[in-house]
């Protein structure tokens, strides 16, 4: 089985988010970038499914050379090889379009993404890839069991779950539950240095969206503390003051 | 150039998040002095379809039949795109639900439309530009996105726009849409709905527990309080990692982002990753025995105390309030 895992390079989850240039640019100063946590889950499942020589796992990233460290981490975790589309990602459409061009030229049985990136939270690339490649897509899956000609996936729905079977090839966005992220070991880190990382140039594509400004949520006021023995007071405040119950 | 709203049903009925999205789409239609058409797919009865008129839909396109009775992402996207083309819609609105998040990008590609997902406010349209605010960095910030395509697709975060009732009515018409056989490759084998549980992503109240609950055997207190308040239950990442609660309840930066009217956090210290997923909550209540817990810095109300002493008292107080209400 040939699996493609699409990975993003995102700010570390502990990052305090700030902006520059009159709130038009994300401030990357001092920010550590990591492999998107949901993509790590997708990668972990891909490695499990191909374990023992049952296939290959290629990771693909749309990014400039600064994302190579993240790609090498994916290789250290166990990916077979990697591809980087040499461009700053503009939006999900741009990223999906670049990846779709690569998939059209290189067949894969299964294409995995994370359910969303933790920076722009889009969960769009899986669906866009599915549409661009005319393949089924499931944007958020909680479980993935691979059979010979199709896979069984569980999809979260509001207040429950849905079980689907999907023939290969298809696209799926992995969420928690699909696999436990894997930590690279020393052997993996050493091996990653020599695994192939192919750099391809992007194709030209129109884009339809642009972030023009950012803002952070308005700060909340001082917490109003209620004594532990006065829970009735809290209920009264939630009813009369906050009006939420 | 009408506005189109996809009205997602759950087992034949519309949830509040749909009425929010219809109200939101109505406001956009008013901004553009145009009409609002809703499209419903699946087997929804006529009376239920007509309710969409109450929130501002002028027309409801009803797509029914056995083939489309259950949600199939690829096929539903085809139908909605067909409906948008048929209505000449310039703006397509969906709810940012699990299904909506799968549909929006496919519809975007079909219509060559820019997609803004996770939107939390009405768009600002000025001199041909179209800008809309969406969540970013898992709730740590907002981004304003400008969409430059002729057609725009927006998906609205549940609880971020109020339901607005009108005295309008909607004309319900059957709509025949083409979905290719190849759109049905994904086959649904089973749907499991926990009918007694409130769905977390669109819950108006969420009661959430952390490591301070000490173990899964103590979750009865969280569940009882949630049940009394008609709330969904949730948990922090360490709790789901430990297997005390399912991953589907994990709220935070790498879990589900929620924006309820009331978020009650019990025994959760408030790591930055957890706060990211709940910061859009309108009111936050924190119960924690550590007065230095960072969660108190972003809470509206707080109780410093042991969860096992506070929760039973709070449950009793809510019961008393319910009895007197």
């Amino acid at each position: 089985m040939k699996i493609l895992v699409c990975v993003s390079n995102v700010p570390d989850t502990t990052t305090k988010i700030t902006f520059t240039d009159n709130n038009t640019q994300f401030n990357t100063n001092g920010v550590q970038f990591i492999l998107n946590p949901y993509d790590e889950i997708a990668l972990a499942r891909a490695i499990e499914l191909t374990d023992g020589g049952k296939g290959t796992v290629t990771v693909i990233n749309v990014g400039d050379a600064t994302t190579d460290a993240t790609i090498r981490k994916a290789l250290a975790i166990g990916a077979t090889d990697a591809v980087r589309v040499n461009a700053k990602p503009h939006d999900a459409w741009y990223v999906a379009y670049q990846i779709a061009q690569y998939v059209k030229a290189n067949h894969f049985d299964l294409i995995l993404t994370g359910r969303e990136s933790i920076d722009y939270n889009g969960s769009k690339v899986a669906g866009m890839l599915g549409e661009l490649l005319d393949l089924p897509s499931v944007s958020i899956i909680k479980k993935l069991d691979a059979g010979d000609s199709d896979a069984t996936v569980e999809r979260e729905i509001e207040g429950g779950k849905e079980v689907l079977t999907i023939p290969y090839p298809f696209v799926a966005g992995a969420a928690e539950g699909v696999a436990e992220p894997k930590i690279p070991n020393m052997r993996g880190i050493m091996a990653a240095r020599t695994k192939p990382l192919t750099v391809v140039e992007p194709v030209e594509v129109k884009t339809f969206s642009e972030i023009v400004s950012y803002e952070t949520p308005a700060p909340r006021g001082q917490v109003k503390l209620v004594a532990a023995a006065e829970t009735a007071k809290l209920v009264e405040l939630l009813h009369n003051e906050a009006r939420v119950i | 150039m009408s506005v189109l709203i996809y009205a997602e049903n759950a087992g034949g009925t519309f949830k509040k998040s749909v009425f929010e999205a219809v109200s939101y789409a109505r406001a956009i239609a008013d901004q553009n002095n145009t009409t609002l058409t809703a499209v419903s797919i699946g087997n929804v009865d006529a009376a239920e379809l007509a309710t969409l008129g109450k929130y501002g839909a002028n027309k409801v396109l009803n797509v029914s039949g056995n083939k489309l009775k259950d949600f199939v992402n690829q096929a539903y996207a085809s139908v909605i795109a067909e409906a948008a083309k048929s209505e000449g819609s310039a703006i397509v609105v969906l709810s940012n639900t699990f299904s909506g998040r799968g549909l929006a990008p496919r519809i975007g590609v079909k219509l060559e439309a820019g997609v803004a997902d996770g939107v939390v406010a009405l768009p600002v349209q000025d001199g041909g530009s179209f800008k809309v605010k969406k969540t970013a960095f898992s709730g740590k910030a907002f981004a304003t996105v400008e969409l430059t395509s002729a057609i725009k697709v927006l998906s609205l975060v549940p609880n971020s726009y109020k339901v607005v009732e009108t005295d309008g009515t909607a004309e319900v018409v059957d709509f025949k849409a083409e979905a290719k056989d190849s759109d049905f490759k994904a086959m649904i084998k089973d749907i499991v709905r926990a009918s007694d549980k409130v769905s977390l992503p669109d819950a108006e109240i969420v009661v959430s527990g952390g490591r301070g609950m000490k173990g899964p055997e103590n979750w009865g207190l969280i569940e009882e309080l949630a049940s009394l308040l008609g709330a969904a239950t949730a948990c922090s990442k360490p709790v789901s990692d430990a297997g005390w609660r399912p991953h589907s309840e994990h709220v935070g930066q790498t879990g589900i982002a929620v924006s309820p009217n009331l978020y009650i956090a019990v025994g959760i210290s408030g790591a930055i990753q957890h706060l990211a997923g709940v910061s859009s909550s309108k009111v936050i209540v924190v119960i924690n025995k550590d007065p230095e817990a960072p969660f108190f810095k972003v809470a509206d109300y707080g109780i410093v105390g042991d969860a096992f002493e506070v929760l039973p008292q709070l449950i009793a107080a809510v019961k008393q309030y319910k009895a007197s209400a």
Side-chain angles (χ1 to χ4, degrees):
Chain A
M1 179 184 276
K2 280 188 73 181
I3 305 178
L4 182 71
V5 180
C6 311
V7 300
S8 305
N9 185 52
V10 296
D12 174 55
T13 58
T14 59
T15 302
K16 187 171 176 356
I17 304 296
T18 58
F19 305 103
T20 60
D21 297 354
N22 200 21
N23 287 334
T24 60
Q25 302 293 324
F26 170 58
N27 184 5
T28 57
N29 196 15
V31 173
Q32 190 189 347
F33 281 80
I34 60 166
L35 181 57
N36 182 42
Y38 291 117
D39 302 345
E40 279 197 64
I41 293 170
L43 178 61
R45 189 65 188 132
I47 290 165
E48 287 169 3
L49 292 174
T50 54
D51 208 16
K54 285 182 289 188
T56 58
V57 178
T58 301
V59 293
I60 188 166
N61 167 257
V62 179
D64 60 20
T66 61
T67 69
D68 280 354
T70 291
I71 296 172
R72 288 285 171 204
K73 185 183 174 192
L75 291 168
I77 288 170
T80 315
D81 59 1
V83 176
R84 178 167 61 79
V85 181
N86 189 26
K88 265 195 179 301
H90 184 89
D91 60 5
W93 166 259
Y94 184 88
V95 169
Y97 198 89
Q98 302 301 335
I99 295 172
Q101 300 317 300
Y102 186 77
V103 175
K104 282 176 183 169
N106 300 272
H107 172 82
F108 291 93
D109 301 298
L110 179 60
I111 302 161
L112 295 176
T113 70
R115 64 175 274 180
E116 65 187 71
S117 65
I118 62 164
D119 47 6
Y120 297 106
N121 312 113
S123 60
K124 287 186 289 207
V125 170
M128 286 180 168
L129 271 176
E131 195 59 41
L132 288 164
L133 298 165
D134 197 19
L135 297 177
S137 62
V138 194
S139 281
I140 303 172
I141 60 167
K142 308 294 281 186
K143 197 174 175 192
L144 168 61
D145 292 327
D148 289 337
S149 59
D150 59 19
T152 302
V153 305
E154 275 183 23
R155 181 177 88 86
E156 191 158 8
I157 57 175
E158 280 72 13
K161 66 178 180 184
E162 200 171 78
V163 183
L164 304 131
T165 55
I166 316 179
Y168 306 118
F170 67 90
V171 191
E176 276 187 316
V178 167
E180 285 299 317
K182 296 183 188 309
I183 297 164
N185 56 28
M186 189 47 74
R187 200 170 142 208
I189 293 166
M190 297 304 285
R193 293 180 182 174
T194 54
K195 284 182 179 175
L197 193 173
T198 309
V199 177
V200 298
E201 291 306 313
V203 291
E204 272 198 35
V205 53
K206 286 185 289 187
T207 54
F208 300 131
S209 70
E210 186 174 2
I211 294 177
V212 291
S213 64
Y214 296 94
E215 61 192 274
T216 45
R220 290 173 188 267
Q222 185 87 11
V223 61
K224 196 174 268 189
L225 287 175
V226 175
E230 292 178 18
T231 49
K233 172 79 178 161
L234 176 64
V235 174
E236 188 256 312
L237 286 167
L238 293 177
H239 178 65
N240 290 325
E241 187 175 88
R243 298 179 184 276
V244 287
I245 61 169
Chain B
M1 295 297 272
S2 74
V3 177
L4 188 83
I5 161 78
Y6 166 56
E8 171 186 339
N9 74 82
T13 56
F14 299 124
K15 290 186 301 182
K16 183 172 153 268
S17 58
V18 169
F19 303 138
E20 291 167 356
V22 177
S23 303
Y24 175 82
R26 175 74 259 164
I28 296 176
D30 288 344
Q31 281 182 344
N32 293 282
N33 198 23
T34 186
T35 56
L36 174 64
T37 301
V39 58
S40 165
I41 312 174
N43 296 336
V44 183
D45 68 33
E48 185 72 8
L49 290 170
T51 61
L52 299 174
K54 201 162 70 177
Y55 304 100
N58 302 104
K59 182 161 74 169
V60 178
L61 303 179
N62 177 34
V63 185
S64 58
N66 253 351
K67 213 172 170 188
L68 288 162
K69 81 177 163 52
D70 293 319
F71 176 78
V72 180
N73 188 19
Q74 214 171 345
Y76 274 39
S78 293
V79 170
I80 297 163
E82 281 293 311
K85 284 178 193 164
S86 158
E87 293 292 301
S89 305
I91 299 165
V92 179
V93 177
L94 301 98
S95 297
N96 200 53
T97 57
F98 292 122
S99 298
R101 298 180 85 173
L103 286 169
R106 292 201 79 117
I107 296 166
V109 173
K110 279 180 188 294
L111 300 175
E112 289 214 339
V115 181
D117 58 328
V119 302
V120 293
L122 283 172
V124 175
Q125 301 181 70
D126 184 17
S129 87
F130 186 101
K131 294 174 186 167
V132 64
K133 188 159 104 170
K134 61 156 277 164
T135 56
F137 299 101
S138 307
K140 291 178 189 170
F142 299 103
T144 294
V145 182
E146 181 165 12
L147 297 181
T148 53
S149 48
I151 302 176
K152 286 98 176 162
V153 176
L154 312 176
S155 70
L156 177 72
V157 172
N159 291 326
S160 61
Y161 194 82
K162 62 187 181 303
V163 172
V164 182
E165 283 198 33
T166 72
D167 52 8
T169 54
E171 173 199 10
V172 178
V173 295
D174 285 336
F175 181 70
K176 297 279 175 227
E178 294 296 321
K180 305 178 302 228
D181 286 345
S182 61
D183 284 345
F184 293 91
K185 282 184 189 158
M187 302 278 291
I188 296 172
K189 291 289 172 196
D190 196 15
I191 298 174
V192 183
R193 276 207 171 88
S195 55
D196 59 328
K197 295 210 74 167
V198 178
S199 158
L200 180 56
D202 49 13
E204 290 184 52
I205 302 178
V206 174
V207 181
S208 187
R211 272 185 299 194
M213 291 305 295
K214 296 209 163 77
E217 66 279 7
N218 299 320
W219 237 258
L221 288 166
I222 298 285
E223 282 168 341
E224 188 177 358
L225 180 60
S227 170
L228 282 168
L229 292 169
T233 54
C235 69
S236 63
K237 188 173 192 296
V239 165
S240 66
D241 282 351
W244 296 359
R245 300 298 292 176
H247 287 305
S248 57
E249 288 196 4
H250 163 204
V251 164
Q253 188 164 15
T254 55
I256 290 175
V258 292
S259 50
N261 290 332
L262 173 60
Y263 185 81
I264 302 177
V266 186
I268 301 175
S269 60
I272 188 168
Q273 296 93 338
H274 187 82
L275 299 182
V278 306
S279 59
S280 309
S281 307
K282 289 186 183 67
V283 174
I284 294 176
V285 172
V286 170
I287 299 168
N288 200 300
K289 67 180 178 187
D290 175 11
E292 301 300 320
F295 221 149
F296 283 116
K297 291 194 171 63
V298 297
D300 300 284
Y301 301 98
I303 292 181
V304 179
D306 187 306
F308 299 101
E309 289 168 18
V310 174
L311 274 180
Q313 289 181 45
L314 183 57
I315 287 166
V318 173
K319 278 182 181 166
Q320 197 171 16
Y321 156 73
K322 291 268 175 191
S324 63

